[in-house]
Amino acid sequence: MKKVLVVFGGRSSEHSVSAVSAHSVINNIPKDKYQIFMMGITNEGQWLLFEGDPEDIPSGKWQEKNCTPAFISPDAGTHGITILKNGSYTNEYIDVVFPVLHGKNGEDGTI
């Protein structure tokens, strides 16, 4: 099963629009073919792996629970995300990243 990382939110005036779009994307990815990972970027720029209910994304409730600091690894050998937990880290292989970022720090080609 392919692993898909959906990245949403970000430091942008369109943060909430990104959350609504990500919710739609996540709900339309076939769950029988893909394992979905959700990575939200807060308004403050904190990257969080969200492992909760996608229904909490549009309202912003996703930031309140089921989150772990994480980021896309800059190491090409990792080919995925690095998850920070309990003072250590683990790497998770990801096949493809689906960026759902709007406005500055997203649509302009930067993250």
Side-chain angles (χ1 to χ4, degrees), residues 78-103:
T78 300
H79 199 76
I81 58 176
T82 299
I83 304 163
L84 309 170
K85 192 179 260 186
N86 301 322
S88 64
Y89 71 91
T90 58
N91 292 315
E92 180 73 44
Y93 181 88
I94 298 292
D95 292 292
V96 65
V97 175
F98 194 131
V100 188
L101 300 167
H102 296 296

Side-chain angles (χ1 to χ4, degrees), residues 58-79:
S59 67
K61 290 182 184 177
W62 69 271
Q63 298 176 64
E64 298 172 7
K65 58 185 177 179
N66 300 313
C67 289
T68 306
F71 55 88
I72 298 172
S73 176
D75 181 351
T78 300
H79 199 76

Side-chain angles (χ1 to χ4, degrees), residues 27-78:
N27 283 337
N28 285 288
I29 294 175
K31 311 299 186 278
D32 60 330
K33 294 182 181 181
Y34 303 97
Q35 181 179 357
I36 302 169
F37 291 81
M38 300 171 284
M39 177 87 66
I41 305 171
T42 68
N43 280 314
E44 295 75 31
Q46 184 180 17
W47 291 54
L48 300 168
L49 180 65
F50 174 58
E51 299 179 271
D53 186 345
E55 296 303 313
D56 289 337
I57 294 174
S59 67
K61 290 182 184 177
W62 69 271
Q63 298 176 64
E64 298 172 7
K65 58 185 177 179
N66 300 313
C67 289
T68 306
F71 55 88
I72 298 172
S73 176
D75 181 351
T78 300

